[in-house]
Amino acid sequence: MNKQTQQPRIVITHRIHDQVIELLEPYGELIVNQTDRTWPSEVLYKYAKTCDAMMIFMPDRVDEKLLDACPNLQLIAGALKGYDNVEIDLCDSRGICVTNVPDLLTEPTAELAVALLLGLIRHVGPGDRYIRGGTFTGWRPTLYGGTLVGATVGILGMGAVGQAIARRLQPFGCSLIYNDIRTLNENGQAGRITDYVELPELILQADVLVLATPLNDASMHLLDKQNLCKMIRGSYLVNVGRGSVVDERAVVALLADGHLAGYAADVYEMEDLSRSDRPATITQGLLDLSDRTLLTPHLGSAVDAIRLEIEMSAARNIIDKLEGSPPRNAINQTRSAIL
């Protein structure tokens, strides 16, 4: 067996920065998808069948079929924060360590949430299309929207992202309320500027409701038609958590009849790989109701410097493993196995 075949094999499923490749090259044989497309499953299985470590991204589904295809796999390094696309218990049962990047996505995701919120309530998208349509000749009494001044903004999910959103919204003159499975420590900044309310009150009181919660059994379609109908007529909904926290078809119905004034999203039901029944595409009505929706293609962490550091962090977890150290960001109990 030659030296090359003795090296650990590292599969990286999506495009990464050159600096990350340079960091990892001394530690093993790299197989990197340097395109903007996700590999078809058969291609991934072919490359992964002899891999020791894998760097994964949001579009990857780590399930029994994938794990069966790569029996040598010891580490899955997620270049992501949420990991509902990974079957953690199954990885545990096979002695596979899973890591994520817990902190780097927080600030850019919160920043985008505020951008979506402001763009939605101030009709930035329709205004841009109006200008580009060639009919603008000066001010007209059109496209009147909402304001954050004096509004009640509810945040569902007060983890790191929810707290970062709250900090950014405080100077806008709105009242901030939140709901989470845990209440905030009043000594923290976000705890001082927000008030905890029970979920029914959050839904009833919010002029703008921002979703920053992960997807799990409890949050799946939490904002269904029944709960959405309880929102203030003319209120706005912003989703930067997970697509399936809302029922997109119910959102469309309430947008169409005017109960919801607008919906902005960076995440969609079609992306949630943990769902066996996930839709194949974004609900068409969200695309058709372009004057009442503002949609971005999962740009939460799409800041070049941040994406580089996310990839670097995932790469460092791989290096930890290859050097025989416990990866610093392990999210399951398989932390001690050494390649």
Side-chain angles (χ1 to χ4, degrees):
M1 185 177 292
N2 61 37
K3 183 178 179 180
Q4 180 69 15
T5 58
Q6 292 176 338
Q7 287 186 305
R9 172 172 284 190
I10 304 166
V11 169
I12 300 171
T13 65
H14 287 80
R15 180 169 57 83
I16 58 173
H17 290 74
D18 291 341
Q19 298 96 309
V20 185
I21 294 176
E22 293 169 3
L23 177 66
L24 285 172
E25 275 180 332
Y27 294 92
E29 176 190 356
L30 301 186
I31 300 174
V32 187
N33 176 10
Q34 284 294 71
T35 74
D36 291 335
R37 298 179 299 277
T38 298
W39 278 331
S41 57
E42 62 273 14
V43 174
L44 174 58
Y45 297 162
K46 179 184 72 174
Y47 289 138
K49 64 182 179 180
T50 58
C51 76
D52 300 285
M54 183 183 300
M55 186 186 297
I56 67 163
F57 297 77
M58 178 72 187
D60 297 312
R61 174 69 173 139
V62 178
D63 55 12
E64 186 172 17
K65 190 172 182 180
L66 174 61
L67 296 182
D68 284 346
C70 41
N72 297 331
L73 185 62
Q74 295 293 315
L75 175 73
I76 296 170
L80 38 74
K81 180 178 181 179
Y83 45 87
D84 48 273
N85 57 329
V86 180
E87 295 190 20
I88 299 295
D89 290 344
L90 184 59
C91 292
D92 255 342
S93 70
R94 300 194 181 198
I96 299 170
C97 182
V98 182
T99 68
N100 73 338
V101 180
D103 299 321
L104 294 170
L105 290 82
T106 297
E107 301 300 328
T109 301
E111 185 176 74
L112 181 66
V114 175
L116 286 171
L117 192 165
L118 291 171
L120 182 67
I121 68 175
R122 294 304 306 271
H123 297 311
V124 171
D128 178 80
R129 290 189 290 276
Y130 175 38
I131 291 291
R132 296 178 191 277
T135 59
F136 177 72
T137 57
W139 180 89
R140 296 292 185 273
T142 61
L143 295 179
Y144 291 173
T147 179
L148 287 177
V149 178
T152 298
V153 178
I155 302 175
L156 179 58
M158 205 48 132
V161 172
Q163 293 180 54
I165 292 170
R167 290 193 299 271
R168 284 164 172 77
L169 289 177
Q170 183 186 18
F172 284 92
C174 52
S175 298
L176 294 168
I177 57 176
Y178 78 95
N179 177 265
D180 197 287
I181 58 174
R182 292 177 297 272
T183 57
L184 295 177
N185 184 332
E186 292 183 1
N187 294 326
Q189 182 189 13
R192 293 196 302 270
I193 64 176
T194 60
D195 291 322
Y196 174 86
V197 297
E198 297 294 336
L199 180 61
E201 291 304 308
L202 186 82
I203 293 171
L204 286 170
Q205 294 179 26
D207 299 300
V208 181
L209 182 56
V210 182
L211 308 181
T213 186
L215 180 63
N216 51 43
D217 291 343
S219 65
M220 171 68 185
H221 279 186
L222 183 58
L223 272 295
D224 57 10
K225 187 171 184 178
Q226 182 178 4
N227 275 328
L228 289 169
C229 285
K230 296 175 182 176
M231 293 182 65
I232 297 170
R233 187 170 185 84
S235 58
Y236 299 88
L237 185 62
V238 177
N239 190 1
V240 295
R242 281 291 187 265
S244 297
V245 174
V246 305
D247 180 340
E248 289 179 349
R249 289 181 296 179
V251 169
V252 169
L254 271 72
L255 287 170
D257 74 7
H259 189 93
L260 285 177
Y263 178 66
D266 190 45
V267 290
Y268 307 94
E269 290 192 71
M270 62 166 287
E271 297 181 287
D272 293 327
L273 301 180
S274 60
R275 288 182 54 184
S276 60
D277 62 342
R278 68 187 175 99
T281 60
I282 296 174
T283 301
Q284 185 61 41
L286 295 180
L287 307 179
D288 295 338
L289 295 169
S290 59
D291 284 351
R292 298 186 182 184
T293 57
L294 182 59
L295 310 174
T296 50
H298 213 122
L299 298 180
S301 64
V303 176
D304 189 63
I306 296 294
R307 287 307 311 180
L308 172 59
E309 189 51 38
I310 288 169
E311 296 160 14
M312 283 290 196
S313 180
R316 293 183 192 107
N317 282 317
I318 292 174
I319 292 169
D320 285 344
K321 186 73 169 177
L322 294 174
E323 291 187 331
S325 301
R328 62 199 77 185
N329 292 315
I331 56 178
N332 63 351
Q333 298 305 308
T334 310
R335 301 181 183 217
S336 59
I338 299 173
L339 290 177

